[in-house]
Amino acid sequence: MLRNRRMRRIAACLVLTQALAPSAGLLAPRAVFAAVGGVDGLHAVPVQPVARDGLNQQGGDASHNNLFLPFDAKTGVAAFWSGSDFIVVADRPVPALAHASGGGGLFSSLDVTVLDTATLIRLHLPEHPQLSLSHLSDGWVLQGVTPGRSGASSSPSSRVAQLFKVGAVLFPQRQPGRIIALPDPASGGRLLIATSRVASGGVAQGRQSVGYGVRPSLEGVVIAADSRQITLRSTPEGAVLDAVALHPLPVGQAPDPAQTGAHGQDWGWLGFSHTGGGKSSTRLAAAQAAFAAGQPWQALKSLEAASPQNEPAVDDKTKTAQTFLQAAAALLAGRTLQAQALNDATCGDAPATRVWRGLYLMQTGQNSQTASVLLASGFAQLQAYPAAVRALILPQVATYVVRFGNAAAVNLLGTLPDDPGYDLARALLEARAGQTETARVALENLTASSSSQTTAYARAALVALMLDKDMIAPSMAAEAYGKLLDNDGQPAALPTGPKATIRLGQAHALILAGQPQDALAALDSVQAGPDVPQDVLAAAYQVALKALIFPEAAPKSLTAQAAHSAPLSAAARFALVASHLRFVEDGAGKAKVLVGYGRLLLDAGQPETAVTAFAQAAAMLADPVARAEAEDLLAQAALQAHRSELAQRALDRATAPLLPDDLATQRAYDAARLAAEGGDTAKALTLLARDETDAGLDLRGKLYESEKRWPEAVLVIGRLATRGLPEEGVLTDPQRALALRLATDAAAAGDSETLLRLKDWLAGRTLGRERDALLAMQIRSIKGHSPAH
């Protein structure tokens, strides 16, 4: 025992010493012997079993084949191959790893990008070495496995299985993490990644299906989603894959024909019929009766009451019915935390119950496109429910689908019932259909409703309609929304739902009025919910940030309106962007915002922050040309930050088929800058050989000047001066400096012809007292010399 304690102390000292070493990053290879974990599905080989407390007594090469990943127990991890890169994804941002180093061994190519929602680790390993990933108490260890070494291989039971359910595929996980959506680094294809917080062994064998493919993985579940219909969500049972569309692709098992009608299993579970099956239960029967009568809160009371002594034992079918009914009742009673079963692997995908998943997504403010499709697809099913239940559900469902659904989803609603509960949905439907005057009159009538909630919604919708149809200016709309928030003259307090809708509308109006900072302030007081789904709120933040970053893109009329506001300083502008980026969903839209933000940072002399912005953008872009541009900008920022290794990796990735000429030229220029900084002048000049841009000529001239190759320098700087020095007029300071530079190179080359031609071109215009004196001295110094070319 004493020996073990001593060994632990030594190991701790070694780890601490390595962490404090100047050359060691947070991910520097650590001499840790990993416990047996997963095996690469592409290279199923044994993993050497080792002891956690031991020290590495082998040569230095062994330590270079271990990479410690300090992810805590709350962080989910996935690992898989993408082309020549091995990818590790953690489902939380770990900013401390941004400057991590992989040392000098197998993992020396380590590259880390910290996103707002995840951490992406890339290892460029084109030879696909055999790897294992092991979970320890304080993190994970990625290990290079030496071929031919003996040891225990992972058992099939440790790999993630695929269970086919009705309309879905379940990937069981003991401790599932979050779902991360990223473009495939190699192909740009859409990847849906389900992480795991404990070792699961990943997916051993890939499988191709209609619309998607399951990738082999070392850890987690990786889905290549070829169709936009394919979704992946995390449930307590594991990751669930399904297709969400009005006409979804076949996923999982086909449904039982007996359960696909309007009176399917949901009717039995909710107590609308006696098809539930299983043994009778007094509590369940009482709860079902209350629910069918439109009293979900009473149904909850019945289910939560203590079971009396004479309550018979229930079977699995009855337990499932109780679980579903309790979740449905909790949802309608406003207890969303108790309704999570509606989104799980049992109730979330079956045809008869997935409409309740849509209701759950709606009430919890999750993705509006997924929710509206599920709700529209099940609208007819809900219409067959008892009247008391319909009254609790259908009006808000209709309003939600009209507000957020696409045209196809709206069409599935059909003709709405002639009932006052649908008046708001009908008015919004008329506005969508272009019947502006009819919608305006209907909304004005609803502002006099006896329901304070209906009145507030109608007033907000009326302002939105008038703004959308250019009946009022954006500034006037923003002011109108502000008055609605004040709620003056109203008999009741402003309800929470309409308040969120009003603030969202106010933010939209402020953006159009050229006041994005005020729009962000309005959005900061909004929480995602049924009135403002998460994706809608994220999109509003994205629009506001774009207006803040690209003010030149705003119409001139709006720019004039914004001129009355106090201008933002660069520091305040950057602070606003940095503090709100996390509210924008990852994807191509956010990447565009990040690229614009990164350019501003570069211009402001903040290359390190720009590096982060460009790296995040590149990780989110699927389009190969857009991604290549982001990588090249990353290289530029890295060069300014004196991070040559990062710049080289970025330039290596800044390629794409049919790369536009301007981007190809820029990439070659940046590669030349990198080569020049590394002292490889010959390579830099080769890269610049066909670059006739001002920047390219300037750099080529500097390289010739550094090597005292004066005739070549004169040729290059002469071309630059020809296009940069006007024939007449006062010269700017950069133009004067260029003229003197050409004169200096020509004098060094003994090129009197160029000097005299430059003197004639300047025609007596001054370069400034000191520069004029230098020019005169250079001309005198070459008198009697013959021209160099």
Side-chain angles (χ1 to χ4, degrees), residues 514-536:
Q515 302 175 53
Q517 65 271 31
D518 294 331
L520 289 172
L523 292 173
D524 287 344
S525 61
V526 179
Q527 289 188 339
D531 294 281
V532 184
Q534 180 58 52
D535 58 315
V536 173

Side-chain angles (χ1 to χ4, degrees), residues 514-603:
Q515 302 175 53
Q517 65 271 31
D518 294 331
L520 289 172
L523 292 173
D524 287 344
S525 61
V526 179
Q527 289 188 339
D531 294 281
V532 184
Q534 180 58 52
D535 58 315
V536 173
L537 182 58
Y541 271 112
Q542 180 177 309
V543 173
L545 289 178
K546 283 180 65 176
L548 197 62
I549 293 170
F550 306 107
E552 66 281 356
K556 292 182 180 179
S557 59
L558 300 184
T559 304
Q561 294 178 24
H564 298 290
S565 304
L568 281 175
S569 67
R573 193 176 174 195
F574 292 161
L576 274 174
V577 175
S579 61
H580 288 89
L581 276 168
R582 69 183 187 277
F583 299 123
V584 181
E585 288 186 351
D586 290 349
K590 183 173 183 176
K592 183 176 181 180
V593 170
L594 285 164
V595 167
Y597 178 46
R599 289 182 185 274
L600 292 178
L601 291 166
L602 267 186
D603 292 342

Side-chain angles (χ1 to χ4, degrees), residues 144-205:
V145 180
T146 303
R149 290 180 63 183
S150 61
S153 61
S154 63
S155 62
S157 61
S158 69
R159 311 311 295 268
V160 177
Q162 302 177 41
L163 302 182
F164 293 86
K165 305 175 70 66
V166 176
V169 180
L170 169 64
F171 299 87
Q173 295 172 294
R174 284 192 294 126
Q175 292 189 33
R178 295 172 51 245
I179 305 298
I180 303 296
L182 286 173
D184 185 351
S187 67
R190 177 170 167 252
L191 294 183
L192 304 176
I193 304 165
T195 62
S196 175
R197 296 199 297 270
V198 296
S200 67
V203 175
Q205 298 297 328

Side-chain angles (χ1 to χ4, degrees), residues 6 25 32 35 90 126 158 176 272 334 478 485 627 644 685 783:
R6 182 186 178 195
V32 172
S158 69
F272 303 158
L485 289 171
R627 186 165 39 176
S644 57
L685 288 171
K783 283 184 177 179

Side-chain angles (χ1 to χ4, degrees), residues 472-524:
I472 55 175
S475 57
M476 187 179 297
E479 184 179 352
Y481 281 121
K483 291 179 179 178
L484 294 183
L485 289 171
D486 292 338
N487 205 36
D488 290 341
Q490 296 302 307
L494 184 63
T496 301
K499 183 182 292 185
T501 300
I502 292 169
R503 288 199 183 278
L504 182 67
Q506 184 185 43
H508 175 63
L510 287 168
I511 292 169
L512 293 179
Q515 302 175 53
Q517 65 271 31
D518 294 331
L520 289 172
L523 292 173
D524 287 344

Side-chain angles (χ1 to χ4, degrees), residues 649-739:
R649 289 197 299 268
L651 285 173
D652 290 342
R653 296 194 295 257
T655 59
L658 303 177
L659 200 65
D661 291 343
D662 58 341
L663 183 54
T665 299
Q666 180 65 50
R667 181 185 179 280
Y669 170 78
D670 293 328
R673 286 179 59 196
L674 183 60
E677 285 196 5
D680 193 343
T681 303
K683 180 180 178 180
L685 288 171
T686 300
L687 290 165
L688 294 170
R690 297 184 180 181
D691 189 341
E692 290 296 319
T693 65
D694 288 357
L697 292 174
D698 176 67
L699 179 55
R700 208 186 324 173
K702 289 177 180 176
L703 293 172
Y704 285 136
E705 290 162 350
S706 68
E707 294 199 331
K708 300 185 179 354
R709 295 167 61 177
W710 302 116
E712 291 99 324
V714 170
L715 285 173
V716 171
I717 302 305
R719 291 207 295 278
L720 194 59
T722 299
R723 69 177 66 160
L725 299 180
E727 193 170 357
E728 57 186 24
V730 178
L731 300 178
T732 64
D733 192 65
Q735 290 169 343
R736 293 172 180 176
L738 176 60

